[in-house]
Amino acid sequence: MRIQLSIKNNFKVSNPSNILLIYTGGTIGMVKDFETGALIPLDFDNLLQNVPELKQLDCNISTISFDEPIDSSNMNPDYWNMIAHQIKDNYLIYDGFVVLHGSDTMSYSASAISFMLENLSKPVIFTGSQLPIGDLRTDAKENLITSIQIATLKDNKVNPLVREVGLYFEYKLYRGNRTTKINAEHFEAFASLNYPQLAESGVHLKVYKENLLVVDESKALVAHTTVDRNVVILKMFPGINKSVVKAIFNIPGLKGIVIETYGAGNATTEPWLIEVIKDLIAKGIHVINVTQCSGGSVIMGQYETSSELSRIGMISGKDMTTEAAITKLMYLLTKSLSASDFKKYFESNIRGELTEV
Ligand code: ASP
């Protein structure tokens, strides 16, 4: 698919903060088709007309929009490439970036972009909404306005305060690669169970500086615009069938697997599973262990049901979300790493996505 973007300038005020708004689609910019009742994407100009409050913000806002805004269920690495490119190409011109995105896959995209943008030292804030911007009880306005405000925040009036990929939703800013969508109808749609919030909006906009990523400003931004799609996610469940697992593991070209195990990284000790994983590792396929619990960490070896997985060389996803693990896998697969280096990088904290103990 060819993706075209158009740039339009909106409001100009005197304050030096320049923000680039990247509109990809999602509920935030949709309206109800009164004939069918379905939500359809709205043109970006119409979206901004619904938020005249933006004129009061002390910053210049420019916008880029996908020519055809998408429901985020259609998000894919080609679009991630476009987003990463736009940020890279406009990096020196803008103080911060806000990405408007459907909530369904927002945690995947925020995680992917965090890996694709190495040495990021400006805010990239993902946001969206549960209700369209024109709805009476919409959450879209608050999410949009506060995300832009967060992107303009400065430390000592000079440097950007937030220097990482964040996700703002329902009064809370989280680290993007720590989030998961946990609710399909509540305004509080996201959670970050293994890492505290970065900021909270109430009467005051409170930033928890101690939780922000510390970055080395002297390093230039490097945008990695490709990821490898030869990956799969497998979720364990009692009664999982050997031939089904073997079929997944025989996918041609497969380079990596994220297995969602139980609890602290446990799986059935039936010998066939251990044998399949062992064969995969021997074939050079990277096999990652993440927990299917929303919070907590994989600790291989804590129980007998994970000791063997550790012994045969399965990679620990530690306390990473599945979204972070699969996108980190897709990102690291584009680097030429030996099996041992791959394991070392995967198990190390590279963008604040896991807790090193
Ligand atoms: N289906 C929509 C999307 O992810 C839901 C939303 O925007 O919240 O694009």
Side-chain angles (χ1 to χ4, degrees):
M1 187 181 357
R2 198 164 154 257
I3 307 156
Q4 293 177 325
L5 299 167
S6 56
I7 300 188
K8 297 164 192 157
N9 281 320
N10 290 289
F11 316 110
K12 289 262 178 243
V13 289
S14 54
N15 191 289
S17 258
N18 290 315
I19 302 300
L20 182 63
L21 205 56
I22 302 173
Y23 176 50
T24 70
T27 302
I28 193 162
M30 292 184 179
V31 277
K32 203 169 253 166
D33 178 325
F34 287 106
E35 286 194 352
T36 63
L39 290 174
I40 48 169
L42 194 71
D43 173 75
F44 196 66
D45 289 336
N46 291 339
L47 188 154
L48 291 181
Q49 272 164 26
N50 277 286
V51 203
E53 295 90 338
L54 286 178
K55 289 181 186 152
Q56 295 174 38
L57 282 179
D58 213 9
C59 61
N60 298 320
I61 303 169
S62 302
T63 65
I64 297 180
S65 168
F66 283 4
D67 270 356
E68 286 189 18
I70 57 162
D71 184 296
S72 78
S73 304
N74 288 320
M75 187 48 68
N76 64 44
D78 293 338
Y79 290 116
W80 292 343
N81 180 352
M82 296 296 291
I83 297 169
H85 254 298
Q86 285 304 326
I87 294 171
K88 178 183 164 255
D89 293 349
N90 291 290
Y91 196 65
L92 298 178
I93 308 169
Y94 293 95
D95 301 294
F97 303 84
V98 173
V99 183
L100 299 184
H101 192 293
S103 61
D104 288 348
T105 60
M106 198 188 294
S107 293
Y108 289 92
S109 294
S111 300
I113 297 296
S114 78
F115 295 118
M116 291 163 87
L117 298 179
E118 187 178 348
N119 304 329
L120 179 72
S121 63
K122 294 187 177 182
V124 174
I125 312 297
F126 277 73
T127 196
S129 67
Q130 290 283 53
L131 283 177
I133 208 148
D135 264 42
L136 202 54
R137 293 182 305 103
T138 188
D139 53 332
K141 287 190 182 185
E142 202 285 319
N143 287 348
L144 173 60
I145 293 167
T146 308
S147 295
I148 295 174
Q149 269 190 319
I150 289 169
T152 65
L153 293 176
K154 294 273 194 312
D155 200 12
N156 302 327
K157 297 193 172 148
V158 188
N159 296 318
L161 185 57
V162 177
R163 298 155 185 240
E164 59 181 292
V165 177
L167 187 154
Y168 182 81
F169 223 87
E170 191 61 3
Y171 304 109
K172 291 191 171 98
L173 177 72
Y174 300 112
R175 176 164 301 152
N177 58 30
R178 290 292 196 149
T179 62
T180 303
K181 185 172 180 184
I182 46 131
N183 203 297
E185 56 188 52
H186 290 171
F187 286 143
E188 195 163 349
F190 290 88
S192 165
L193 289 171
N194 286 335
Y195 198 77
Q197 61 204 34
L198 308 181
E200 194 171 10
S201 163
V203 173
H204 303 288
L205 184 53
K206 191 161 178 12
V207 179
Y208 302 102
K209 285 192 181 180
E210 65 282 12
N211 298 338
L212 295 172
L213 204 61
V214 178
V215 298
D216 181 351
E217 282 168 61
S218 64
K219 292 187 177 162
L221 177 78
V222 182
H224 305 263
T225 48
T226 53
V227 292
D228 196 316
R229 296 183 184 210
N230 292 302
V231 293
V232 70
I233 298 174
L234 173 70
K235 185 169 185 160
M236 283 286 133
F237 59 91
I240 193 163
N241 180 308
K242 176 179 168 181
S243 44
V244 172
V245 174
K246 280 196 165 170
I248 295 177
F249 286 2
N250 282 326
I251 296 167
L254 189 69
K255 294 184 187 159
I257 304 166
V258 171
I259 303 186
E260 279 195 358
T261 57
Y262 310 123
N266 309 312
T268 173
T269 51
E270 286 174 70
W272 66 264
L273 182 69
I274 303 295
E275 279 315 307
V276 174
I277 296 178
K278 224 162 130 182
D279 288 352
L280 284 166
I281 295 171
K283 259 167 74 181
I285 294 172
H286 306 287
V287 188
I288 319 293
N289 187 351
V290 296
T291 173
Q292 54 186 253
C293 296
S294 319
S297 181
V298 162
I299 309 171
M300 286 197 282
Q302 189 181 29
Y303 291 89
E304 189 213 332
T305 43
S306 66
S307 301
E308 196 59 9
L309 300 177
S310 169
R311 206 188 56 76
I312 62 174
M314 206 171 172
I315 299 171
S316 176
K318 300 192 175 175
D319 64 348
M320 255 186 277
T321 60
T322 299
E323 292 88 334
I326 193 76
T327 52
K328 186 174 185 179
L329 178 60
M330 294 167 89
Y331 163 69
L332 283 182
L333 280 171
T334 61
K335 315 291 157 219
S336 315
L337 297 171
S338 66
S340 62
D341 277 352
F342 193 98
K343 188 172 189 307
K344 189 177 89 193
Y345 279 111
F346 203 95
E347 293 181 346
S348 311
N349 171 27
I350 59 171
R351 304 280 192 275
E353 75 284 4
L354 62 79
T355 311
E356 274 177 322
V357 280

